[in-house]
Amino acid sequence: MVKPEDVIKAISGAWLYLNVTSYYDNGTISTGTDPGLGQFPVGILTYHPKYMSANFMSSIAENRPANIDTQTLDEGTDAEWALIGKHTLAYAGPWYVSETTDEVEVGQITHGPTEVAWVPTWVGKELQKNYTLLEDGKTMVFRSKTQDGLNGVMYFKRLE
């Protein structure tokens, strides 16, 4: 049996988002892209032993106005600021894992309840995913149902 504290120790650190594959229950790959983050989003997950944060953004230049700067909030239009928000996903809060057994290849990780989120409706959410650690803990895979009912498989690489 793998205890949650051992899994938390193995997952703690920073993880670079590599890619996601979405597919239907019958195995057919979905060709759609996330309307907010686009086809090739970038992101990092950071895990502390008790808290985590997720930060993702679109890599499409049109979704990231170059003239926006937080030191001069009057730079850029409200529409440009809204565009950035529309193409960003960010949340943080506590996290925990389920206890696993030798017979189970994957465990379950829960982010939340979230305490901070880029949109108010995500505050208080719990996001559950099945996880697998591969390559001696250098690769992490999440499996879950997406918001639109597809199966999602997300890949992350440990940042050293």
Side-chain angles (χ1 to χ4, degrees), residues 36 58-67 79-80 82-84 86-87:
S58 171
S59 64
I60 299 169
E62 294 81 32
N63 297 337
R64 316 271 327 145
N67 65 320
E80 288 174 315
L83 186 65
I84 291 171
K86 184 176 183 179
H87 298 287

Side-chain angles (χ1 to χ4, degrees), residues 77-152:
T77 65
D78 286 349
E80 288 174 315
W81 282 99
L83 186 65
I84 291 171
K86 184 176 183 179
H87 298 287
T88 300
L89 182 151
Y91 63 89
W95 68 289
Y96 59 93
V97 295
S98 61
E99 193 166 282
T100 61
T101 65
D102 292 335
E103 294 83 40
V104 178
E105 186 176 317
V106 300
Q108 189 172 71
I109 189 169
T110 302
H111 296 167
T114 57
E115 295 178 359
V116 176
W118 90 117
V119 291
T121 56
W122 273 49
V123 174
K125 277 192 183 244
E126 285 199 347
L127 307 160
Q128 295 180 328
K129 301 170 183 337
N130 292 327
Y131 71 87
T132 306
L133 292 173
L134 305 170
E135 300 173 340
D136 293 324
K138 293 184 175 141
T139 300
M140 183 166 55
V141 180
F142 283 165
R143 288 178 174 79
S144 65
K145 284 279 190 188
T146 62
Q147 291 178 342
D148 53 3
L150 293 172
N151 299 291

Side-chain angles (χ1 to χ4, degrees), residues 66-81:
N67 65 320
I68 301 296
D69 188 332
T70 60
Q71 291 183 352
T72 54
L73 293 179
D74 56 344
E75 288 277 330
T77 65
D78 286 349
E80 288 174 315
W81 282 99

